């Protein structure tokens, strides 16, 4: 991987890590379900007008939008609004990777290697440590919502893998068309039919510009710029080469939360976070063995040809 491309991968991780700060700023002005809906509305309008629809079954596009979009972002924004520190949220949501492996095994019959099982176990241990630590001083509901958000992301990954779109970036962008309606319905029911719209109107006043900037950042910098660069890198290199850079996202998320939001991790929470990140990295890194010249190379311990679809790391589309 060239120095330029390594720098681009690190830049994407920076963009995605800063997303958590932007979400926290946005939630100071907008209610969570309404903010998550707005994030997708900002994307959906230009996508419908200017981006050709990818060739993929509609059912998988809808399921991808509901899982990766509505469930992940709606629950994640709600969790942060209810008190989940944004830095810790950037770590716990990485549980999408082991969830994707488990769902792939349960629903698609995919094989889980020993390395992946070890990564899942380490990530679960880390989340358990975080849960126990939070139970001593804070409510567990925000953590549970974050874990469920990671599960929604994993469901979206499964739908994306089944869709096999001809153009992954277009597929990821068209996903934005699905979440606005269910999220706006949830906002109307749980936050009030006019609460979010009043907040949107107020954000155009003198004190509302930080919320507007945060909204535009989450929609454009993270999704369009970040995902565009990431997809380009995945076309040039194997996923196992690019995916580890996504582990910089929670590092950036925690660092930014400490610098700008004064969020501090206890020793146990820090240890649990390291375990989660390490487990995700261990489980999503594939090892390649040498194969005879008359046979195709194999991965994951020599059981699956590289010409067949393999389990896609959850970090394929990593922005929030």
């Amino acid at each position: 991987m060239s120095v330029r491309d390594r720098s681009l991968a690190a830049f994407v991780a920076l963009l995605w890590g800063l997303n958590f700060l932007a979400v926290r700023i946005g939630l100071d002005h907008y209610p969570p379900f309404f903010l998550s809906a707005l994030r997708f509305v900002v994307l959906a309008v230009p996508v419908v007008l200017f981006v050709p629809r990818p060739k993929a079954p509609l059912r998988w596009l809808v399921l991808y939008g509901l899982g990766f979009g509505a469930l992940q972002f709606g629950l994640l924004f709600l969790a942060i609004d209810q008190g989940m520190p944004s830095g810790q949220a950037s770590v716990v949501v990485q549980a999408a990777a082991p969830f994707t492996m488990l769902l792939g095994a349960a629903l698609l019959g995919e094989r889980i290697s020993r390395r992946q099982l070890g990564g899942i176990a380490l990530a679960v241990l880390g989340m358990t440590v975080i849960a126990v630590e939070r139970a001593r001083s804070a409510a567990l509901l925000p953590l549970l919502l974050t874990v469920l958000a990671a599960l929604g992301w994993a469901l979206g990954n499964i739908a994306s893998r089944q869709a096999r779109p001809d153009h992954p970036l277009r597929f990821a962008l068209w996903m934005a068309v699905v979440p606005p309606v269910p999220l706006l319905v949830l906002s109307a029911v749980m936050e009030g039919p006019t609460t979010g719209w009043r907040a949107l109107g107020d954000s155009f006043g003198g004190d509302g510009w930080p919320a507007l900037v945060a909204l535009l950042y989450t929609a454009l910098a993270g999704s369009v710029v970040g995902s565009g660069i990431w997809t380009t890198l995945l076309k040039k290199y194997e996923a196992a080469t690019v995916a580890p850079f996504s582990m910089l996202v929670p590092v950036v998320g925690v660092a930014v939360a400490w610098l700008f939001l004064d969020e501090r991790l206890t020793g146990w929470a820090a240890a649990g976070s390291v375990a989660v990140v390490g487990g995700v990295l261990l489980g999503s890194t594939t090892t390649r063995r040498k194969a005879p010249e008359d046979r195709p190379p194999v991965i994951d311990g020599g059981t699956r040809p590289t010409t067949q679809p393999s389990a896609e790391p959850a970090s394929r589309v990593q922005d929030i």
Side-chain angles (χ1 to χ4, degrees):
M1 199 172 187
S2 68
V3 174
R4 173 182 174 275
D5 288 342
R6 288 177 185 272
S7 300
L8 285 173
F11 175 66
V12 173
L14 176 64
L15 289 179
W16 287 339
L18 288 171
N19 259 331
F20 291 89
L21 174 62
V23 170
R24 179 62 270 170
I25 294 172
L27 287 172
D28 289 337
H29 192 86
Y30 304 111
F33 288 127
F34 189 80
L35 175 60
S36 55
L38 280 183
R39 178 197 188 277
F40 289 107
V41 169
V42 170
L43 281 175
V45 173
V47 164
V48 171
L49 292 177
F50 303 111
V51 179
R53 182 183 163 187
K55 295 180 181 178
L58 180 61
R59 66 182 182 278
W60 296 122
L61 177 63
V62 172
L63 287 174
Y64 182 44
L66 291 176
F68 182 85
L71 282 176
Q72 182 198 181
F73 287 87
L75 293 176
L76 182 62
F77 285 22
L78 179 62
I80 296 175
D81 185 67
Q82 292 296 310
M84 185 68 182
S86 61
Q88 274 195 6
S90 70
V91 174
V92 175
V93 78
Q94 303 301 320
F99 279 149
T100 300
M101 298 173 202
L102 293 173
L103 289 175
L107 301 178
L108 306 179
E110 295 177 349
R111 176 182 174 275
I112 300 180
S113 68
R114 291 181 180 179
R115 177 190 290 269
Q116 290 171 325
L117 283 173
I120 291 171
L122 184 58
V124 170
L125 175 63
M127 286 188 291
T128 302
V129 171
I130 293 173
V132 172
E133 176 68 12
R134 281 193 62 83
R136 297 171 55 188
S137 58
L140 280 176
L141 178 60
L143 176 62
L144 178 60
L145 290 171
T146 308
V147 173
L148 292 176
L151 180 60
W153 181 358
L155 290 170
N157 285 338
I158 296 298
S160 175
R161 194 146 67 224
Q162 291 298 98
R164 307 189 194 285
D166 63 327
H167 198 295
L169 180 57
R170 289 180 185 174
F171 185 77
L173 290 174
W174 265 86
M175 174 275 299
V177 177
V178 178
V181 172
L183 287 172
L184 285 174
V185 170
L186 280 172
S187 176
V189 172
M190 300 186 67
E191 299 164 350
T194 62
T195 303
W197 298 106
R198 287 201 304 269
L200 178 60
D202 293 341
S203 64
F204 287 95
D207 298 330
W209 67 265
L212 283 177
V213 171
L215 170 62
L216 292 176
Y217 182 91
T218 59
L220 301 179
S223 292
V224 178
V225 178
S227 295
I229 296 173
W230 195 257
T231 302
T232 301
L233 293 174
L234 284 168
K235 288 181 179 179
K236 295 178 63 176
Y237 303 98
E238 293 181 351
T241 301
V242 181
F245 284 90
S246 68
M247 290 300 96
L248 293 174
V249 174
V251 175
V252 174
V254 170
V256 168
W258 172 64
L259 287 172
F260 295 99
L261 302 176
D262 199 29
E263 292 181 5
R264 301 183 183 275
L265 291 178
T266 64
W268 282 108
S273 299
V274 170
V276 172
V277 173
V280 172
L281 183 59
L282 176 65
S284 61
T285 301
T286 58
T287 56
R288 184 181 299 273
R289 294 181 181 178
K290 293 182 180 180
E293 292 181 357
D294 58 343
R295 296 176 58 190
V298 292
I299 60 174
D300 289 344
T303 61
R304 192 163 52 218
T306 56
T307 53
Q308 295 179 359
S310 61
E312 177 181 302
S315 56
R316 178 65 178 268
V317 181
Q318 179 77 24
D319 66 287
I320 73 160

